[in-house]
Amino acid sequence: MIKKMAASLCLLLSLTTLAQEGTSSPYSFYGIGDIKFKGAVDTRTMGGLNVFSDSIHINLQNPAHLASLKLTAFSVGATYATTKFQTETDEGKARRTSLDYLAVGIPAGKLGFSLGLVPYSSVGYKIQELTEGDSPVYSRYTGVGGVNKVFTGIGYQLTKKINIGADIQYNFGTIETQNLRYQTGVDLVENGTREKNESDIQGFNVDFGATYQTKVNSKHTFFGSLAYTPESTLRLNNSRNIAVVLITSGTTSVVESQDIDVADTEIKLPSKLAIGTGYGEVKKWLVGGEVTLINNSVMSNRFVDIDGATFENSVRYSLGGYYIPNYNSYSSYFKKITYRAGLRYENTGLVIQNKSITDFAATLGFGLPLSGTFSKINIGLEMGKRGTQYYNLVEENYFNISVGLSFSDKWFVKRKFD
């Protein structure tokens, strides 16, 4: 059954992925899929560090940063990822390209506003298993879909040193998983069975944030940030269909099908608390760290008969920073580039075979200014490992290339002349 997929050594005999899918991981079968959103490219390339209040970039993880915007900003990001999967006996590869975020930020004096769309989680895998014997049995497991967030946020400059903010998010999406089992015949594929499960998902949640910054001396500044997400609920409208199918020349025909009554469910989105600090010279360099505590133990799977995995509380550690040789250089373009780097380690909260699934990554990034503007092209590189090839599990070694476009300008300027 599909519920055993991450524990089986045979699952990676053949694995491919579609370009539009946001993930290619067999672990995305559980919960609501991979939580793929790690922030905008500029913060993601610092290991996910979110302590710096940038005046030209939209911070998508702490709404208090919106109050620091000085220019209207439009941001969009995408990622190309390659992943190598390994077990103790098998291996496979996958590639994917996905949209990461789309957002607009608008300053208004001491206020800042945002509006955007984020693909929050993703399910995406296509796996084939062959069981040897007198009558070989083929099994195909596929999953697509995920959860998206439409959000709007506001930030307010409470004092010269303190910003506060909040946003509200509407979560929606569809997840479909399918399990197909069949045997080969002489002239055509014999009858097989197919189980299709689908969940329509919706719900709301909110984020709150606060930031603090103060001058330590004439050059250096201390930064602090706090972000909190209360626990919320996603409601799932579930359906299941069992069918007898006939497969000829790669075409699947339904011979007979039946809808099975399954219970609608609810999944808790966990509460989250992120605390970070940083220190540096604003237009020169910054180093900082952040700890995020996530109450993942409240998570569950989409259907009550899915087992093989549990959830536990988790923690994420981020360490990173940036360096700008000379932001105002006229002689060298390379001196105006923002160089970013970071490290990220997290316990994802997913437990399979009594083994916690962990994720570690190193990041590197470049902020390329567009001549004559405040806009930038942000390029990020991320190399990491999730899971393990031992304990009957799957190890994922991944390399991601992300590109973020941040267009910043004054959109609302009062005319001096009519």
Side-chain angles (χ1 to χ4, degrees), residues 110-413:
K110 292 185 176 183
L111 292 170
F113 301 92
S114 68
L115 178 68
L117 170 67
V118 171
Y120 178 69
S121 74
S122 184
V123 175
Y125 55 86
K126 184 184 293 183
I127 305 169
Q128 179 170 295
E129 176 186 7
L130 172 62
T131 303
E132 300 285 359
D134 294 337
S135 299
V137 177
Y138 293 88
S139 298
R140 293 178 184 173
Y141 307 100
T142 58
V144 294
V147 176
N148 303 300
K149 287 179 178 283
V150 174
F151 67 90
T152 182
I154 182 173
Y156 176 68
Q157 186 185 60
L158 191 63
T159 70
K160 290 184 178 180
K161 296 181 178 181
I162 299 174
N163 293 347
I164 57 174
D167 64 32
I168 183 170
Q169 305 167 7
Y170 172 65
N171 306 282
F172 66 97
T174 300
I175 295 175
E176 181 182 299
T177 58
Q178 185 171 283
N179 176 14
L180 176 66
R181 293 170 62 87
Y182 62 93
Q183 293 177 306
T184 57
V186 178
D187 298 320
L188 47 76
V189 174
E190 297 178 353
N191 288 344
T193 59
R194 185 194 65 191
E195 178 183 313
K196 182 186 293 185
N197 295 293
E198 185 171 311
S199 299
D200 291 323
I201 305 169
Q202 60 180 344
F204 289 90
N205 72 291
V206 294
D207 294 330
F208 301 99
T211 62
Y212 174 80
Q213 67 179 63
T214 185
K215 281 282 189 179
V216 177
N217 52 45
S218 60
K219 285 188 176 181
H220 300 140
T221 303
F222 171 83
F223 299 90
S225 69
L226 177 70
Y228 176 66
T229 302
E231 182 180 301
S232 59
T233 301
L234 295 179
R235 293 174 176 80
L236 283 71
N237 183 12
N238 297 322
S239 63
R240 175 174 291 169
N241 179 269
I242 304 294
V244 176
V245 297
L246 189 68
I247 305 175
T248 57
S249 303
T251 301
T252 301
S253 302
V254 176
V255 177
E256 182 181 357
S257 69
Q258 180 180 358
D259 292 328
I260 306 297
D261 289 334
V262 290
D264 294 337
T265 54
E266 292 184 348
I267 288 182
K268 297 291 187 181
L269 287 182
S271 61
K272 180 171 61 176
L273 177 66
I275 303 172
T277 61
Y279 183 84
E281 185 178 346
V282 173
K283 296 181 179 180
K284 189 72 174 181
W285 61 272
L286 172 79
V287 293
E290 191 169 46
V291 178
T292 304
L293 306 174
I294 309 173
N295 188 32
N296 271 317
S297 60
V298 302
M299 281 285 291
S300 58
N301 291 306
R302 296 180 298 119
F303 290 83
V304 296
D305 57 353
I306 293 177
D307 55 22
T310 58
F311 299 88
E312 65 180 1
N313 293 339
S314 60
V315 60
R316 179 191 307 135
Y317 301 97
S318 299
L319 179 67
Y322 67 79
Y323 174 69
I324 308 172
N326 184 355
Y327 80 98
N328 204 27
S329 175
Y330 292 99
S331 60
S332 174
Y333 178 80
F334 293 100
K335 290 183 179 180
K336 296 191 293 184
I337 293 176
T338 303
Y339 299 89
R340 305 183 179 100
L343 297 171
R344 173 177 52 82
Y345 174 82
E346 64 179 300
N347 170 6
T348 64
L350 179 63
V351 181
I352 301 179
Q353 301 285 81
N354 295 317
K355 179 67 176 177
S356 298
I357 306 302
T358 59
D359 188 356
F360 173 78
T363 59
L364 184 67
F366 309 92
L368 309 177
L370 299 180
S371 180
T373 71
F374 291 100
S375 302
K376 283 190 176 183
I377 299 175
N378 294 299
I379 298 174
L381 309 176
E382 182 179 36
M383 183 170 61
K385 183 183 81 168
R386 181 168 69 161
T388 175
Q389 60 183 288
Y390 306 106
Y391 308 100
N392 293 332
L393 295 175
V394 178
E395 178 180 296
E396 302 175 357
N397 293 280
Y398 57 86
F399 180 73
N400 300 332
I401 301 175
S402 300
V403 178
L405 305 179
S406 180
F407 301 105
S408 302
D409 203 350
K410 289 185 177 182
W411 285 15
F412 306 102
V413 180

Side-chain angles (χ1 to χ4, degrees), residues 53-56 64-71 112 163 211 213:
S53 294
D54 198 325
S55 62
I56 61 174
H65 287 297
L66 292 171
S68 296
L69 281 175
K70 301 303 180 185
L71 300 173
N163 293 347
T211 62
Q213 67 179 63

Side-chain angles (χ1 to χ4, degrees), residues 1-16 24-27 29-30 85-93 125-131 138-142 179-181 352 392-394:
M1 295 297 293
I2 185 67
K3 64 184 70 173
K4 299 179 181 179
M5 85 176 125
S8 174
L9 298 179
C10 302
L11 293 180
L12 297 173
L13 294 175
S14 175
L15 190 151
T16 59
S24 52
S25 172
Y27 293 124
F29 171 72
Y30 299 103
F85 302 88
Q86 287 183 299
T87 69
E88 291 181 298
T89 58
D90 297 294
E91 65 179 41
K93 294 182 178 180
Y125 55 86
K126 184 184 293 183
I127 305 169
Q128 179 170 295
E129 176 186 7
L130 172 62
T131 303
Y138 293 88
S139 298
R140 293 178 184 173
Y141 307 100
T142 58
N179 176 14
L180 176 66
R181 293 170 62 87
I352 301 179
N392 293 332
L393 295 175
V394 178

